Amino acid sequence: MRKFWRVFEFLEDIVSGGLLSVGVTMIFYGVIMRYVFNDARSWVDEISQYMIIWGTLIGTSVALRNDHHIKVDMLFNVLSKRVQYYVTLFAHTVGITFSLFLGYYGYKLVSFTHNSGQVSTDVGIPLYMVYSILPLTGALLTFRFVIKLYEASRNTGGAGKVAERM
């Protein structure tokens, strides 16, 4: 089972970083084509935007896994360990709620664009494929927040450990 998680995390890192890298490379290609060869490619802008957005949204799950999200801990650090524990549980519960909403309404958007047959402007990619990142991100974040909530709730006696990880 441990090997499965390593592979899953590796794929998550590779996909997120790969999409961001390819998106930035495509932007560089577009700039070279526009300003050096005077041959602008409109599809480059559209595809690179999709790749950067997808890489960033998948990257939110990676950031949550590695505790790299931006947080304001000035107030958190002055709270007692017990209050920090409850704040942590509350924060993860709010995160799960947000992620479920993102997944649900993302799915509704994907369903709507699929049924209406909408396509992107320049390339003609079906928009349901583009928007499918939203329910995927919702699922990944829900999964990560549930793990964080489980880990935090297991540390009822060691609320200090939870606070150290936050």
Side-chain angles (χ1 to χ4, degrees), residues 61-81:
S61 176
V62 174
L64 181 59
R65 177 188 77 212
N66 297 328
D67 290 326
H68 287 127
H69 278 284
I70 296 171
K71 55 191 166 229
V72 180
D73 56 0
M74 196 164 106
L75 176 63
F76 185 80
N77 289 338
V78 298
L79 300 173
S80 70
K81 297 297 182 192

Side-chain angles (χ1 to χ4, degrees), residues 13 32 37-38 61 65 67-68 72 90 93 96 99 102 110-111 125 132 138-140 143 146 158 160:
D13 291 339
I32 297 296
F37 297 106
N38 200 23
S61 176
R65 177 188 77 212
D67 290 326
H68 287 127
V72 180
F90 176 74
T93 304
I96 290 170
S99 302
L102 177 64
V110 169
S111 179
I125 298 172
S132 65
L140 287 172
F143 171 70
V146 166

Side-chain angles (χ1 to χ4, degrees), residues 98-137:
F98 168 78
S99 302
L100 290 172
F101 274 106
L102 177 64
Y104 174 74
Y105 286 106
Y107 173 77
K108 287 185 72 148
L109 179 64
V110 169
S111 179
F112 173 77
T113 55
H114 183 266
N115 292 336
S116 64
Q118 294 179 19
V119 295
S120 66
T121 308
D122 290 330
V123 181
I125 298 172
L127 284 180
Y128 76 89
M129 293 172 67
V130 173
Y131 295 148
S132 65
I133 190 60
L134 296 173
L136 175 64
T137 301

Side-chain angles (χ1 to χ4, degrees), residues 26-89:
M26 287 181 73
I27 290 172
F28 180 72
Y29 167 77
V31 168
I32 297 296
M33 291 303 292
R34 177 176 292 134
Y35 294 108
V36 175
F37 297 106
N38 200 23
D39 184 22
R41 307 285 172 126
S42 61
W43 64 269
V44 171
D45 294 334
E46 185 175 321
I47 300 297
S48 64
Q49 286 175 6
Y50 296 152
M51 290 194 159
I52 288 173
I53 290 168
W54 271 60
T56 301
L57 288 174
I58 293 172
T60 60
S61 176
V62 174
L64 181 59
R65 177 188 77 212
N66 297 328
D67 290 326
H68 287 127
H69 278 284
I70 296 171
K71 55 191 166 229
V72 180
D73 56 0
M74 196 164 106
L75 176 63
F76 185 80
N77 289 338
V78 298
L79 300 173
S80 70
K81 297 297 182 192
R82 185 162 185 78
V83 174
Q84 286 180 354
Y85 170 73
Y86 288 115
V87 168
T88 300
L89 293 182

